[in-house]
C-alpha cells in the first residue's frame, strides 16, 4: 500500500528504485491520483527553475562575510584604537601621499586604487548633488534617526553622522547612491553661508590606508579605507581647512 | 575548526533565494540575509558543531522572518522608504507569467506551509532537517507538505479558471 508520505517523497525524488517503482505502478492504476501527483511535481520544478536566477545572482558586497566582520570588529575595538590609529594614519599619509597626475601609476602604492575609486565616486556624487537646490538630500535631518538607520542597513555598517558644528557645518540630510558593486551613502552638511560638504561611505576592498588628498577644480577630497569601507570628505575648501574636518570625521565614525 | 567565512560564504546564494521567495522584495530579502549572517557570526561558538550548518542558518532566517511578520501584524501595515519595489527587476528575474502566478499563489499559503515547500522543494533540505528548522516533528512536516502542495495546486487551478486577475500580487 502507498501512503501519503511516500507520495511526497516521490514528488521530491527521494525514493529508492524499488519504492519508486511501487509508487509508479500504483499511480498507473489510479489516474486521478496520477494527475494530482504529476501536477504537484510540475509545480515543484517550476518553482525551482523560477528561483534559480536569484540563486545565480552575484552576492552583494554588503553580505560578504569579510565586510560584516569588519563592521563587527569596528564596533568592538574602535573606542580603544581610534586615537592611536588616527595618529598612525596621518604619519603614513604624510609619507605616502597621493599625487594625482605627474607620477606613473606603478609608482603609487597598491592601496591607492580602491581609495582613488572611492574618491572618484565621492567627487562625482558631490558635483551632482551639491548644486541641487530642490532636492539636495533624499531624507532630511528632521528624520535623522531614520536616515541613519536606513543608510546603515543598506551599507551593512553602522553609520553615525559626525558632529561638525565646531567647523561651522550642520547636517542637512543624506541619500543612497550606487557605489562600486553595492550601495554608497552620502551625508550632506552646509555652513551658515550655504557652503556644502559631503561625507561619502561605501564598501571597499582593504583594511586600512592613509588619507589621500586630491583637488579637482574647487572641490577638495580626503579619502581613506578603514576595515572594509571607503570614506571620503569633500568640500569647496583648501587642504588645510579640510584636513581637521576629515580627521574629525575619521574619529567620529567610531560611535 | 574551519573559518566561519569559508563555511558561510558558499551558503549565501541559497539564503538569498529563500529570503527572496519569502518576502518577494529584493532589498528586504538581502536585509533579512544580512541579519541572519550577523546573528550567525555573533553566535558562531554557540552552534552545535555536529548540526547541519545550512539547516541552522535557514532556521535563523526563518525565525527572523516570522518575528518580523508578527511585529508587522502588531504595528499594522507600514511602508519603509526603501521598500517600494524596484521597477522592472522582478519581471526580468521571475521568468514569465507562469512563475509570477506560482509565487503569487505561494504567497497565499500560511507561512509554515510556504516555508516548508521552499525548504524541501527548492533548498533540498532533508525532511528531518526541515523538521528541525520548523521546530516540529517529521510527521508534521510530511502532513504539512502534503497539505501545502495540494493547496498550492488548487489556488493555481482556481486562478486559471477565473482568469489571471485573481492572482494579483498581494499588496505588502
Amino acid at each position: 500500500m502507498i501512503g501519503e508520505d511516500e507520495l511526497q517523497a516521490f514528488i521530491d525524488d527521494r525514493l529508492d528504485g524499488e519504492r519508486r517503482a511501487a509508487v509508479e505502478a500504483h499511480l498507473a492504476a489510479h489516474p486521478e491520483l496520477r494527475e494530482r501527483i504529476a501536477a504537484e511535481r510540475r509545480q515543484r520544478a517550476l518553482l525551482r527553475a523560477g528561483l534559480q536566477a536569484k540563486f545565480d545572482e552575484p552576492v552583494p558586497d554588503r553580505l560578504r562575510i569579510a565586510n560584516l566582520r569588519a563592521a563587527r570588529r569596528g564596533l568592538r575595538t574602535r573606542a580603544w584604537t581610534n586615537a592611536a590609529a588616527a595618529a598612525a594614519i596621518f604619519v603614513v599619509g604624510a609619507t605616502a601621499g597621493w599625487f594625482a597626475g605627474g607620477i606613473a601609476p606603478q609608482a603609487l602604492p597598491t592601496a591607492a586604487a580602491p581609495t582613488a575609486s572611492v574618491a572618484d565616486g565621492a567627487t562625482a556624487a558631490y558635483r551632482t548633488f551639491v548644486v541641487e537646490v530642490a532636492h539636495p538630500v533624499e531624507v532630511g535631518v528632521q528624520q535623522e534617526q531614520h536616515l541613519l538607520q536606513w543608510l546603515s542597513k543598506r551599507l551593512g555598517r553602522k553609520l553615525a553622522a559626525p558632529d561638525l558644528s565646531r567647523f561651522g557645518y550642520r547636517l542637512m540630510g543624506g541619500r543612497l547612491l550606487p557605489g562600486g558593486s553595492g550601495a554608497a551613502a552620502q551625508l550632506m552638511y552646509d555652513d551658515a553661508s550655504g557652503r556644502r560638504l559631503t561625507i561619502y561611505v561605501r564598501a571597499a576592498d582593504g583594511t586600512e590606508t592613509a588619507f589621500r588628498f586630491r583637488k579637482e577644480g574647487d572641490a577638495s577630497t580626503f579619502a581613506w579605507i578603514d576595515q572594509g569601507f571607503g570614506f571620503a570628505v569633500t568640500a569647496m575648501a583648501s587642504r588645510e581647512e579640510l584636513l581637521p574636518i576629515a580627521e574629525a570625521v575619521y574619529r567620529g565614525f567610531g560611535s | 575548526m574551519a573559518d566561519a567565512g569559508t563555511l558561510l560564504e558558499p551558503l549565501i546564494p541559497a539564503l538569498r533565494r529563500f529570503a527572496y521567495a519569502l518576502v518577494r522584495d529584493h532589498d528586504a530579502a538581502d536585509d533579512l540575509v544580512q541579519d541572519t549572517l550577523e546573528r550567525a557570526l555573533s553566535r558562531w561558538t554557540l552552534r552545535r558543531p555536529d548540526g547541519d550548518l545550512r539547516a541552522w542558518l535557514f532556521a535563523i532566517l526563518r525565525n527572523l522572518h516570522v518575528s518580523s511578520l508578527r511585529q508587522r501584524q502588531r504595528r499594522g501595515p507600514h511602508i519603509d522608504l526603501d521598500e517600494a519595489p524596484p521597477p522592472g527587476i522582478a519581471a526580468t528575474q521571475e521568468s514569465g507569467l507562469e512563475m509570477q502566478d506560482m509565487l503569487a499563489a505561494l504567497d497565499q499559503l500560511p507561512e509554515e506551509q510556504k516555508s516548508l515547500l521552499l525548504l524541501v522543494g527548492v533548498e533540498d533540505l532533508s525532511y528531518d532537517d526541515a523538521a528541525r528548522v520548523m521546530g516540529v516533528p517529521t510527521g508534521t512536516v510530511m502532513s504539512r507538505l502534503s497539505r501545502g502542495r495540494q493547496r498550492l495546486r488548487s489556488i493555481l487551478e482556481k486562478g486559471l479558471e477565473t482568469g489571471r486577475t485573481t492572482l494579483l500580487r498581494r499588496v505588502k
Side-chain angles (χ1 to χ4, degrees), chain B residues 22-34:
Chain B
L22 287 179
V23 304
R24 300 284 306 285
D25 174 294
H26 294 280
D27 290 329
D30 280 346
D31 286 349
L32 189 52
V33 174
Q34 185 175 334

Side-chain angles (χ1 to χ4, degrees), chain A residues 111-187:
Chain A
T115 327
S117 114
V118 169
D120 283 342
T123 311
Y126 180 85
R127 291 204 174 288
T128 307
F129 293 111
V130 111
V131 297
E132 181 65 47
V133 177
H135 304 289
V137 295
E138 207 168 348
V139 180
V141 68
Q142 309 81 355
Q143 296 171 275
E144 181 176 349
Q145 202 192 349
H146 168 75
L147 167 73
L148 295 171
Q149 275 172 1
W150 169 54
L151 293 176
S152 300
K153 191 96 190 176
R154 296 298 307 276
L155 276 183
R157 178 197 197 284
K158 189 167 161 48
L159 192 66
D163 179 6
L164 301 180
S165 53
R166 67 194 157 106
F167 304 103
Y169 285 97
R170 65 193 169 115
L171 183 67
M172 296 169 69
R175 65 171 64 242
L176 191 70
L177 298 161
S181 51
Q186 184 190 50
L187 295 177

Side-chain angles (χ1 to χ4, degrees), chain A residues 4-12 14 35-37 39-40 42-44 46-60 62-66 68-69 71-72 138-139 143 146 150 152-157, chain B residues 3-5 8-9 12-14 16-17 20-21 26-27 30-31 33-35 37-38 41-42 80-82 93-95 98-99 102-103 106 117-118 120-122 124-127 142-143 145-146 149-150 152-153 156-157:
Chain A
E4 185 59 34
D5 289 7
E6 247 176 341
L7 291 175
Q8 294 305 315
F10 177 79
I11 292 171
D12 287 317
R14 294 183 191 186
E35 210 172 296
R36 182 201 124 195
I37 297 301
E40 290 176 17
R42 270 199 306 280
Q43 282 168 24
R44 179 179 177 276
L46 188 61
L47 196 57
R48 290 173 79 94
L51 288 168
Q52 185 63 33
K54 190 69 201 175
F55 183 84
D56 292 337
E57 271 181 20
V59 173
R62 68 162 164 142
L63 298 182
R64 277 166 32 197
I65 300 298
L68 293 173
R69 276 195 165 148
R72 276 165 51 75
E138 207 168 348
V139 180
Q143 296 171 275
H146 168 75
W150 169 54
S152 300
K153 191 96 190 176
R154 296 298 307 276
L155 276 183
R157 178 197 197 284
Chain B
D3 172 68
L8 288 172
E9 294 270 5
I12 296 176
R16 293 183 76 223
R17 172 172 58 189
Y20 174 69
H26 294 280
D27 290 329
D30 280 346
D31 286 349
V33 174
Q34 185 175 334
D35 290 344
L37 293 171
E38 276 166 1
L41 285 171
S42 71
D80 257 345
L81 275 176
D82 55 350
Q93 287 188 343
E94 294 155 16
S95 47
E98 207 181 9
M99 186 59 209
M102 173 63 79
L103 287 178
L106 196 66
L117 255 60
L118 292 165
V120 170
V122 178
D124 285 329
L125 254 63
S126 71
Y127 298 135
M142 299 315 291
S143 57
L145 202 54
S146 166
R149 281 174 169 159
Q150 296 195 53
L152 186 65
R153 185 169 48 85
L156 284 164
E157 280 166 6

Side-chain angles (χ1 to χ4, degrees), chain B residues 34-66:
Chain B
Q34 185 175 334
D35 290 344
T36 302
L37 293 171
E38 276 166 1
R39 184 159 297 198
L41 285 171
S42 71
R43 301 187 180 181
W44 189 251
T45 52
L46 300 176
R47 96 204 135 92
R48 281 176 34 206
D50 57 331
D52 183 70
L53 179 60
R54 230 162 47 102
W56 182 58
L57 292 170
F58 280 124
I60 295 175
L61 195 155
R62 191 247 167 185
N63 289 338
L64 288 169
H65 173 61
V66 168

